[in-house]
Amino acid sequence: MLDQLKQTYSGKKVFLTGHTGFKGSWMLKTLKLLGAEVKGYALAPQTENDLYHLIDGDRICESVIADLRDREVLKKSILDFQPDYIFHLAAQPLVRLSYDIPSETFEVNAIGTANLLDAVRLLEKKCSVVLITTDKVYHNNEWDYPYRENDRLGGYDPYSASKACTELVIDSYKNSFFNKAKINEHHKGIAIGRAGNVIGGGDWSKDRLIPDIAKALSNDEEIVVRNPKSVRPWQHVLEPVIAYLILGMNLEADPVKFGVAYNFGPYATDALPVSEMLKLAIDCWGTGNYKVEQLPNQPHEAGLLKLDISKAIADLHWQPKLNAAKAVETTISWYKSFVADKQNIDAVTAHQILAYLNA
């Protein structure tokens, strides 16, 4: 897989939104290891320990610090760069925060994507565009049945609903401006990647389980959890990052066949409740404990949501490499390395990427 991806992306221009974020920084580092020329577009990193800083992001890419809602800056950034590929990861990605800033969440996620696609309309060259949404775009019935790409979209919380709206925006642009019947006129391949509950080193986001675990264990504090019975399809960040790159590779080869939506997640049998995830993390760290704290007036959060990944396996020949236990082990190992030697974490990150690609 490493050689195939290098052959695809080496020397190519890749426009990456959200490059300063957790998943975006892993994507940026991976693209640089593959030899791509990357231009990033995102808000500024929030702390000195953000992964973007730890991998020296300003050195390895051209970085535009701006908002997706700034249509003119976004358009100029894309048209000046003339990318071969666009990976759109930038978003307001937090469910709980979306309750505090609902309208901003809709603006960033839905309108921000429309702004990006407006710029793509003006790009007079072939370009493969992979737009990242989430597993939470599905209308969640809280059942054990894994959701397929053609299942009903919806969303209880503002974040989930904003991403479902984003998919409607994408569908409209695909039909109106990037219709597959006119691929020889516009030369744009448009695909969607849906993934969720990503874990990995370098995530410091508020109200996320792994960052809370890492912070508590690093400080010898008790881990506080809200919903120990919630079941999630845990996956290491490299699973979707590499999946997006594989999708981009296939999209470039056949924009008609692969210009659709794909689910990326672990096997359905690999989903774990939060309580088991905690036990795995504590075992990997070597010490620690947790307590359940039911806060009053907690906002609604989905309890169960699994993805059917059979389409990605069949079409893209992609499949998960790391089960839940290995994903937790790899993640906790990164945080232990960070605590032990922060200055070496760029090398640790690169090692984990190359180990995954060579597995």
Side-chain angles (χ1 to χ4, degrees):
M1 181 55 66
L2 176 58
D3 290 342
Q4 194 174 11
L5 289 175
K6 274 189 174 181
Q7 186 177 0
T8 299
Y9 291 102
S10 180
K12 296 295 177 64
K13 290 186 172 184
V14 179
F15 190 85
L16 174 63
T17 73
H19 69 295
T20 62
F22 161 57
K23 191 190 290 186
S25 293
W26 278 94
M27 188 113 183
L28 170 60
K29 185 65 179 179
T30 302
L31 283 165
K32 294 307 294 182
L33 290 172
L34 295 175
E37 178 186 349
V38 182
K39 182 174 184 175
Y41 187 102
L43 299 178
Q46 295 183 338
T47 75
E48 65 177 18
N49 288 332
D50 279 17
L51 184 58
Y52 180 76
H53 289 314
L54 299 177
I55 63 172
D56 200 4
D58 284 341
R59 180 182 61 82
I60 63 176
C61 76
E62 178 185 352
S63 180
V64 178
I65 301 301
D67 196 303
L68 285 174
R69 293 170 293 179
D70 195 330
R71 185 184 304 129
E72 293 305 313
V73 173
L74 179 57
K75 179 174 70 176
K76 186 176 188 303
S77 298
I78 291 174
L79 296 181
D80 285 353
F81 189 55
Q82 294 288 299
D84 301 300
Y85 297 88
I86 295 175
F87 291 92
H88 178 42
L89 276 66
Q92 192 301 91
L94 302 176
V95 171
R96 290 173 69 87
L97 180 60
S98 76
Y99 283 101
D100 296 329
I101 53 170
S103 63
E104 182 177 333
T105 299
F106 280 96
E107 288 174 4
V108 171
N109 294 346
I111 303 304
T113 300
N115 289 341
L116 181 135
L117 291 172
D118 262 353
V120 173
R121 286 175 58 200
L122 302 176
L123 194 60
E124 296 181 352
K125 62 169 293 186
K126 182 178 180 179
C127 187
S128 300
V129 183
V130 178
L131 305 160
I132 310 308
T133 59
T134 174
D135 60 344
K136 295 175 182 62
V137 294
Y138 295 107
H139 177 75
N140 193 354
N141 295 295
E142 302 279 351
W143 56 25
D144 196 48
Y145 155 79
Y147 292 87
R148 297 166 298 181
E149 285 85 351
N150 60 351
D151 280 330
R152 176 187 169 190
L153 303 185
Y156 182 106
D157 58 87
Y159 166 72
S160 302
S162 76
K163 284 295 195 174
C165 289
T166 299
E167 295 239 7
L168 290 175
V169 168
I170 296 168
D171 192 56
S172 174
Y173 272 81
K174 285 179 68 175
N175 289 326
S176 302
F177 308 110
F178 309 116
N179 197 291
K180 291 181 180 180
K182 297 182 178 180
I183 187 67
N184 292 326
E185 296 177 21
H186 58 73
H187 305 291
K188 307 298 189 300
I190 311 290
I192 296 171
R194 299 170 180 162
N197 295 297
V198 171
I199 64 173
D203 186 6
W204 307 106
S205 300
K206 183 181 178 182
D207 294 324
R208 275 189 177 162
L209 182 59
I210 283 292
D212 288 348
I213 291 173
K215 291 170 188 174
L217 293 176
S218 299
N219 296 317
D220 291 323
E221 296 174 352
E222 199 169 34
I223 304 164
V224 178
V225 294
R226 299 185 302 271
N227 302 303
K229 294 181 181 179
S230 292
V231 177
R232 294 288 187 268
W234 311 105
Q235 60 180 327
H236 190 270
V237 62
L238 286 173
E239 302 277 26
V241 162
I242 301 304
Y244 303 154
L245 292 172
I246 292 172
L247 176 54
M249 176 178 66
N250 283 277
L251 186 65
E252 195 277 335
D254 191 338
V256 173
K257 177 180 178 180
F258 298 104
V260 293
Y262 287 95
N263 289 335
F264 299 113
Y267 292 110
T269 55
D270 202 31
L272 293 176
V274 168
S275 58
E276 289 190 34
M277 161 73 100
L278 284 163
K279 291 173 184 177
L280 284 169
I282 290 170
D283 286 346
C284 292
W285 192 270
T287 184
N289 54 74
Y290 72 93
K291 66 178 180 179
V292 178
E293 188 173 283
Q294 296 293 337
L295 300 175
N297 301 317
Q298 291 190 76
H300 173 272
E301 291 186 79
L304 177 67
L305 198 158
K306 298 180 183 179
L307 297 180
D308 184 329
I309 59 173
S310 57
K311 183 179 175 183
I313 293 172
D315 288 3
L316 305 173
H317 306 295
W318 169 88
Q319 59 184 347
K321 290 186 177 184
L322 307 177
N323 62 22
K326 187 63 177 177
V328 174
E329 178 187 336
T330 303
T331 299
I332 297 302
S333 173
W334 189 99
Y335 283 105
K336 289 181 73 173
S337 296
F338 174 83
V339 172
D341 185 5
K342 176 181 173 181
Q343 302 305 315
N344 192 47
I345 205 64
D346 180 39
V348 170
T349 304
H351 174 76
Q352 290 193 347
I353 292 169
L354 293 174
Y356 180 93
L357 286 171
N358 285 313

